[in-house]
Structures are given as C-alpha cells and as structure tokens.
Amino acid sequence: MQQQPASTSSRRLIALIKGAYWFALLVIAAITMASFVMLQQMMAAQQRDDSLLTLTNAQKALSQRVVFLAGAIGDSQHKDRLALLASLRKAVTEFEANQDVLLVRTAADARSQGQLDGESLEGILYGSPYHLDLYSTELAANGWRFISALETELGVKGSDYRAGKERAILDETVANATLDGFTALGNRITAQANARLDSTLSLHRTLFYSTIGVIILVALFVFRPMSDVILRRTDELMDARNSMAFLAVHDGLTGLHNRAFLTDHFDTLIKGAQRRNERMAVVQIDLDRFKQINDTLGHAAGDFVLVATAQRMRESCRASDICVRLGGDEFVMILQGAGSTEDINMVAKRIMTRINEPIVFQGATILPGASAGIAVYPVDADNAKDLVVHADLALYNAKKQGGGGFSFFSEELRLELEHRKQLEHDLRVAIEQKSFQVYFQPQVSLTTGSIAGVEALVRWKHETRGMISPGEFIPVAEKSGLMADVGRIVIAKAITAAGEWYRAGLQFGRLAVNVSGTELREVDFDRFLFETLEASGLPPQKLSLEIVESVILDDEKTGIAAKLRHIRSAGVHLELDDFGTGYASLSHVNPNEIDRLKIDRRFVQNINANSDNTKIVRAITELARGLGISIIAEGAETEEELTSLKSIGCDQVQGYSIAFPMPTEQAQEWLALRNPKKPQLTVVQGNRA
C-alpha cells in the first residue's frame, strides 16, 4: 500500500523534469534563432557597407586618374595622345557609372532634410561643405568637354567641339573637392557600420547572457537530479559486473585488470563518463629501465618490480579509478571523474612520485623509473582506440624528454609534426622544381615621388593548397636546413628580373633582397652572388642585401661580417632590416658597414596617433642623418602615417599605401608607368641635333 504513493510521486517528478527540460529547450531554441537572425542581418549589412566602401575608394582613385590622364595627355607626344585619350574616356565613363550606382546603393535623396546634416550621407552628397554629387557631376562634365575638345583638335571622326579649347579644362580644384568628398563619405559609411555593429553586439550579448542563465537553471534543476540518479545506478551496475567477471579479466601476476578487460569495458567507461558529463583521464605508464633489471637481476626481480608497481598504482588512485596491466612493463590507469587539467596534473604527479620511489629486492635497491602519457576524454578523443593511441604518443613525448616524468597529449604538437613533415616534403619538391615566385614591393621618396628601390619578397603557390604564407614555410625551411636553397632561388630570380629592367632602361632605384644567416654561412655565397649578378648584367651598385642584427651577432663563430665586407667592397649595398626590434646596438649602426636602416613596421603603424612611436622614429632618423646613413620606413599604410613620416624627415617609405607586393610582370608595368619618358632627338641640319 505504501508503494503506490511513492510510485505516483516518482512519476510526477519525472513528468515535471521532462516538462522543464522541453520548456528549457524551447527557450534556448528561441534565443538561438534570434541570435542567428541578428547575425544574418549584421552580415548582410556588413557586406553592403563593404560594397559601398569599395565603390567609394574606386571613385576616389578614378577622380584622381581622370586629372592625371588629362595632365599626361598635355605632356605627351602627339602619337601617344589617342591611347591616353581612350584611357581618359574609359575612366570618365566608369566614374559616371559608379556615381549612379553609388547614389542607388546609398538611397540618398537630394530633397531629404538630411542634406542639412553634415554627418549624414545626404549631407555629404548634397550638402555643405562637400557637395559631393555636384562636384562629381562637374568633374565628369569637365572630362567630357576635355575629351571632345581634344578629339576635335586631333581630327577624330564625329567630333565637333565648338565651345573653345580654353573652356575644356580639367580643374584640379574640382578633383580635389571630389576626393575630399569621397574620403568623407567613406569615413561616414565606416562610422555608421561601426555604430550598427556596436548596437547589434550589445543586443547579441544580452541574448547570450540570457542563454547562459537558462542553461544554468537547467543544470541546477533538471540535469543535476537526473545525473545523480544515473550516477548511482551506473555505479551499482559496474560494481556487480566487475565482481562477476573478476577472475576472467584480471592479470595473474599483479592482480590488476588485464588487456581483455580494457578491450571489453573501455567503451562502457566512456559512455558512463559521457552520461555523467565527466572527464576521464587515460594514463599510460611504462618502466624506463625494466629490460635492464631483467638482464642484470633476473626475471624474479623483474616480477617483483611489476608487482610493487601495481601495488603502488592501487595505493595512489581512488576506488573508482581502474588500473590495468597491458603486458610486460606497460600499464594503464583510467581516472574516472578526473576533473580539470590541474586536478589531473596533481593526481599524475602523486602517482609518478610514488611509482618512482626505490624498490628493495633481496637487499638490492632498484630504481626502475617510470614515464607516463596522459590523454583526456573528451578533450583529446571520444573513443577508446584514439585515447590509447594519444596516451601512447604522450608517453613517447615524456620519454623523449628524458623519462621519469609524464606528459599530456597535445593535438597541436602531433598536428604540427605531421604538418611540418608534409610541408618539408613539399618544400623539397618546390626547391627541385624552383616553383617559388618573387614579388616586388616599390620604395619611393615622399619628397620627389621618385622610385628609391624595390624589395624582393618570396611567395609560394602550392599546387593544391594555393598561396602559402612566408611566415608559415620559412620557419620550416630554416629548421629543416632548406633555407639556403630557397634563398638562392629567390635571389637568382630577383636579380634576373632586375637585370632585365636595367637593360630596358627602367629606373627602379636599387633591388633589395633579404638574406638570412643560414645563407650567409654558406661557404660559396659571395661567389654565387657575384656570378648571378654577372650573368644578369645587373651592376652590384643596383643591389642591396637586407640583414638583421642577429646575423651580425653570429659573426664570432661564422665569420659572416668578413664576408659582408667583401660583398660590400664590390659595390653591393647593405641594409639593417627591422631596426629597433632586436638588440638595436649602436655598434651595428656604422656608416662604414651599413648603407641604410630600415625602421620596422611596428613603429610606423599609427605613428600619427602614437607619440612614443613618433619619438622613436624621430630619434632613429636623426641618428641616421647624423651618421650619413639613409633610412627607410616600412609598413606605411595610411595617408596620415605618410604625412607624419614626411614631417619627421623620414623621406623613403615602403608599404601598402604606396603599392602592394606585385609579381614580376605587374611590377615591370608599375615601374614603366612611373618612369620618365626619354626625349627624342630630331636631326635638323647635318649631324647637328
């Protein structure tokens, strides 16, 4: 009679738990769906803003290109004007088309009251002080008048411009106003995007905290009672099953569980940990000197050591943990409910300290030593096979470190090793096929706008993985001893390209190539360099080698400095790369050994807003100027940074604001467009010109 109320109460409790469970799932699902919708909206808005910014930047470039082409037509020879005129027509056409698209995408209304707000898109497009739409229209109209006038002058068929050439002038004031307007428009689009993103993130954060709150409530009032019941029932079942199978699944020598037990029950243990939502640690133990014990003291001593080790394992672990002898001197411990990594580390340290204590056998003291590898469920693997394999890999790592300790399995280390092996193999293939490419990034003078040089940068396009970053494969090449081969391929290709430019009369300043200490330590590096220069026809004075300070510090054992002096005496320039990021010793800043200092990009970025960086760059610039050493700053990416560098006195710069790294053909086109035209001589009388 007493069972019925208890059963009814149990059913009510179960029904209540189920109801709470499904209600919580619905709440979480609703919050998750809301977060997803918000994320989709945010991504769509971001894509729209990115499209507008791209279009705005294109208009900025086109507005300047229109004026540039108009000026170039005026300075060009008669035979070149038609080609330049076609380019100008294309630029004006694209500028007008982009302007129409921009007005459509911004949905700006010229009649809106927003034009009175200088911070709105309408205010920038139609209001004071930018009047962007007006100036854009005027710039395009001026461009068409200029084109019509010039076509009439050149006698192009169908052209009949009668307004007078003096009215067909492209006013740079209009172009500059257009540029300012597009700059302001881009800034405003960015500001609106950031404000929208902040608002969305704030709402998303609220939804996230709400989700966490629901999950906590579910954990406290739903899963915790269920987990307690499941834990009790699972423990009872496991105890009964282990008692029945004791004789069949235990090792006869040590009394520990055997391999068969582990094979049969490992999946059950994992499922139990999964149901209890617990972590489980697999500790694989191996005796470091067991073979030596057997060989010197006999198998009886070896058996005694195994029994003593098994006893110490049992003494060091909890009743719920499982100790297994796999065979020989290999053991496994399964730590159920292992807790956090710190908890596992503490338990493993206690176990290994106990196992590594001396063992006395028949008056002889034995120090077997033991190493262990640890894999954790579900962090490292979610199945028995992988857990054992990963624990074994961790054990191998512990032995590699000298033995006597333990090591946790690290997926990153294994992946890094496999990745490094594959990358090293691919590097060897790439070296054999000489498949590395050389990109060139120009260096210019801020004062004159002339080209000061180009830096050669290595690029590797893998057949299947695409472009691989130098930051990924260069460290592997250095560690595997392949850097010298990679460097020689890059140097040869870069010098060959520069030699072709030189013979073609292109002005490119100096070619700068990076040289590592590994390459300089090669005995025949200087001979290779001079032979490559001679074969390409490039004068040594047109080449610079970029080195870092650590290369100079390595000279005591390698004699690199003597080799650099030999190279410099032949006319090749030397540059100290990444100056200020290493030892930055003034002893390295010697005008008799270094021709140019290269300020690292971390000092250049945001120099206009960072007073500390400004002071550092100014100090380096004044130091170099006082010593008579030229200087260049790398990593300049914005107009503000260029302005700050110019005001400091750092004239030469390199960075994305000037040009991105380009392949050989594109770099040659870039140089050709910026090289001055050669004057042509006309014979007037006899041999006098």
Side-chain angles (χ1 to χ4, degrees):
M1 296 295 296
Q2 295 179 356
Q3 296 295 330
Q4 184 68 25
S7 177
T8 302
S9 176
S10 177
R11 286 196 297 269
R12 289 178 179 175
L13 177 61
I14 293 174
L16 180 61
I17 291 175
K18 287 183 177 180
Y21 172 77
W22 287 110
F23 176 76
L25 281 183
L26 290 175
V27 173
I28 293 175
I31 296 176
T32 304
M33 181 59 68
S35 298
F36 174 77
V37 172
M38 288 175 53
L39 182 60
Q40 289 293 102
Q41 293 176 347
M42 182 176 66
M43 292 176 62
Q46 186 67 31
Q47 291 175 352
R48 184 167 58 253
D49 292 338
D50 289 344
S51 174
L52 281 176
L53 282 175
T54 301
L55 192 58
T56 301
N57 292 332
Q59 287 295 83
K60 289 170 60 179
L62 285 172
S63 66
Q64 298 305 296
R65 179 171 175 78
V66 168
V67 177
F68 170 77
L69 289 173
I73 290 173
D75 298 335
S76 65
Q77 299 293 328
H78 184 274
K79 63 178 183 178
D80 297 329
R81 288 189 173 183
L82 286 177
L84 291 173
L85 186 61
S87 298
L88 178 58
R89 174 181 288 275
K90 180 180 178 182
V92 174
T93 301
E94 187 175 353
F95 181 80
E96 280 190 320
N98 285 352
Q99 186 65 18
D100 293 337
V101 174
L102 182 65
L103 293 176
V104 171
R105 291 186 180 178
T106 56
D109 186 359
R111 296 168 297 180
S112 172
Q113 292 297 323
Q115 64 175 304
L116 302 178
D117 181 7
E119 298 297 324
S120 67
L121 298 183
E122 287 83 357
I124 296 174
L125 286 167
Y126 305 112
S128 178
Y130 297 106
H131 298 289
L132 178 57
D133 185 56
L134 174 64
Y135 283 121
S136 299
T137 303
E138 185 173 352
L139 178 63
N142 289 345
W144 287 120
R145 282 195 294 271
F146 183 85
I147 292 170
S148 298
L150 190 58
E151 286 179 342
T152 301
E153 179 183 345
L154 296 176
V156 177
K157 185 178 180 180
S159 299
D160 187 19
Y161 182 79
R162 302 180 180 181
K165 184 177 180 182
E166 64 280 355
R167 297 187 59 189
I169 299 176
L170 274 175
D171 189 357
E172 291 190 9
T173 303
V174 175
N176 291 334
T178 305
L179 177 62
D180 292 340
F182 280 117
T183 300
L185 183 63
N187 293 337
R188 188 56 196 160
I189 293 172
T190 301
Q192 289 183 348
N194 291 336
R196 186 188 307 110
L197 180 61
D198 290 340
S199 176
T200 304
L201 289 177
S202 177
L203 184 55
H204 192 274
R205 192 179 300 111
T206 302
L207 291 175
F208 172 76
Y209 288 141
S210 300
T211 305
I212 295 299
V214 173
I215 292 174
I216 292 174
L217 292 175
V218 171
L220 290 176
F221 299 105
V222 179
F223 289 116
R224 185 175 179 181
M226 294 177 64
S227 299
D228 291 342
V229 174
I230 293 173
L231 179 62
R232 289 196 301 270
R233 296 294 184 266
T234 303
D235 289 342
E236 292 173 0
L237 291 174
M238 289 298 296
D239 290 342
R241 186 171 183 179
N242 289 340
S243 298
M244 294 173 60
F246 180 84
L247 295 177
V249 295
H250 281 75
D251 176 58
L253 176 64
T254 62
L256 299 180
H257 293 290
N258 58 18
R259 184 184 292 272
F261 173 87
L262 188 64
T263 302
D264 293 339
H265 293 80
F266 211 152
D267 289 335
T268 302
L269 297 175
I270 291 176
K271 291 177 182 178
Q274 183 180 12
R275 286 195 301 269
R276 297 188 297 270
N277 196 25
E278 293 178 347
R279 300 176 79 187
M280 183 174 66
V282 178
V283 184
Q284 185 157 339
I285 302 172
D286 185 86
L287 300 181
D288 298 330
R289 291 177 288 275
F290 184 70
K291 185 177 185 301
Q292 181 182 352
I293 295 171
N294 275 334
D295 294 342
T296 57
L297 300 177
H299 290 284
D303 290 344
F304 185 84
V305 169
L306 293 175
V307 173
T309 300
Q311 181 61 31
R312 291 176 176 182
M313 289 172 60
R314 280 192 293 259
E315 294 171 353
S316 302
C317 66
R318 302 164 300 178
S320 59
D321 299 330
I322 298 173
C323 300
V324 179
R325 182 191 177 199
L326 297 178
D329 61 336
E330 296 179 323
F331 300 88
V332 167
M333 296 182 67
I334 308 296
L335 307 180
Q336 301 189 75
S340 64
T341 302
E342 291 76 11
D343 296 332
I344 299 173
N345 185 77
M346 182 178 62
V347 173
K349 186 178 296 184
R350 183 180 71 245
I351 293 171
M352 298 308 297
T353 300
R354 182 73 177 98
I355 293 177
N356 280 305
E357 290 178 359
I359 298 175
V360 179
F361 174 72
Q362 296 180 355
T365 301
I366 303 174
L367 298 173
S371 300
I374 304 172
V376 180
Y377 168 87
V379 179
D380 299 326
D382 59 357
N383 61 83
K385 180 181 178 181
D386 289 343
L387 281 171
V388 173
V389 171
H390 292 172
D392 187 63
L393 288 173
L395 172 62
Y396 174 80
N397 184 58
K399 284 185 171 292
K400 187 171 62 176
Q401 294 176 2
F406 62 93
S407 175
F408 282 86
F409 171 77
S410 172
E411 181 70 14
E412 291 77 13
L413 291 178
R414 184 176 67 82
L415 291 177
E416 180 181 350
L417 179 61
E418 293 177 357
H419 174 72
R420 183 181 180 277
K421 288 181 179 179
Q422 183 61 45
L423 194 60
E424 182 177 339
H425 172 269
D426 294 344
L427 275 172
R428 295 184 187 278
V429 174
I431 290 172
E432 183 179 352
Q433 299 176 351
K434 296 184 178 180
S435 57
F436 296 99
Q437 298 176 340
V438 180
Y439 277 45
F440 298 89
Q441 187 173 32
Q443 304 164 342
V444 302
S445 168
L446 292 176
T447 303
T448 64
S450 61
I451 302 172
V454 290
E455 181 181 6
L457 303 169
V458 60
R459 294 292 184 267
W460 179 23
K461 188 174 184 179
H462 194 274
E463 292 182 355
T464 57
R465 297 171 55 193
M467 196 69 73
I468 300 179
S469 168
E472 182 179 357
F473 71 82
I474 286 181
V476 176
E478 291 176 341
K479 291 181 181 179
S480 57
L482 301 175
M483 192 61 226
D485 295 329
V486 175
R488 292 201 177 191
I489 294 173
V490 174
I491 291 174
K493 289 187 175 183
I495 291 179
T496 300
E500 293 176 358
W501 299 343
Y502 177 77
R503 292 192 300 272
L506 289 179
Q507 297 181 13
F508 58 88
R510 290 200 301 262
L511 169 69
V513 294
N514 292 276
V515 182
S516 66
T518 303
E519 298 170 71
L520 290 172
R521 283 191 288 271
E522 294 287 317
V523 177
D524 63 337
F525 176 80
D526 45 355
R527 186 179 65 185
F528 156 78
L529 185 66
F530 296 144
E531 289 177 354
T532 305
L533 286 170
E534 183 178 359
S536 67
L538 183 69
Q541 294 78 11
K542 302 293 289 182
L543 176 66
S544 291
L545 299 184
E546 292 189 5
I547 59 175
V548 294
E549 293 172 82
S550 58
V551 171
I552 301 176
L553 293 174
D554 197 33
D555 177 59
E556 294 182 0
K557 298 180 180 179
T558 61
I560 288 178
K563 186 175 296 184
L564 290 175
R565 284 193 292 270
H566 176 219
I567 293 173
R568 191 168 184 263
S569 65
V572 178
H573 296 265
L574 296 181
E575 301 183 13
L576 199 55
D577 196 10
D578 298 337
F579 185 75
T581 62
Y583 298 91
S585 172
L586 293 180
S587 62
H588 304 157
V589 188
N590 187 338
N592 296 322
E593 298 180 357
I594 297 296
D595 298 288
R596 188 165 70 170
L597 297 180
K598 198 168 190 180
I599 303 176
D600 188 75
R601 65 180 64 250
R602 70 188 67 180
F603 300 122
V604 176
Q605 291 177 348
N606 297 323
I607 188 174
N608 53 298
N610 190 321
S611 59
D612 292 336
N613 284 354
T614 301
K615 294 176 183 177
I616 292 172
V617 174
R618 178 176 286 110
I620 296 175
T621 303
E622 292 176 357
L623 170 66
R625 185 184 297 116
L627 294 173
I629 299 175
S630 63
I631 194 165
I632 183 173
E634 65 175 343
E637 298 181 357
T638 65
E639 291 292 337
E640 292 79 7
E641 291 170 355
L642 292 177
T643 302
S644 298
L645 289 170
K646 185 176 181 180
S647 65
I648 289 173
C650 181
D651 181 56
Q652 296 181 5
V653 296
Q654 170 185 346
Y656 292 163
S657 60
I658 304 300
F660 287 85
M662 299 171 282
T664 305
E665 296 77 12
Q666 186 177 345
Q668 183 172 343
E669 294 175 1
W670 192 93
L671 292 171
L673 288 174
R674 288 155 182 80
N675 268 248
K677 303 295 181 180
K678 293 183 179 180
Q680 295 183 348
L681 298 179
T682 303
V683 177
V684 178
Q685 180 180 0
N687 59 354
R688 298 171 58 189

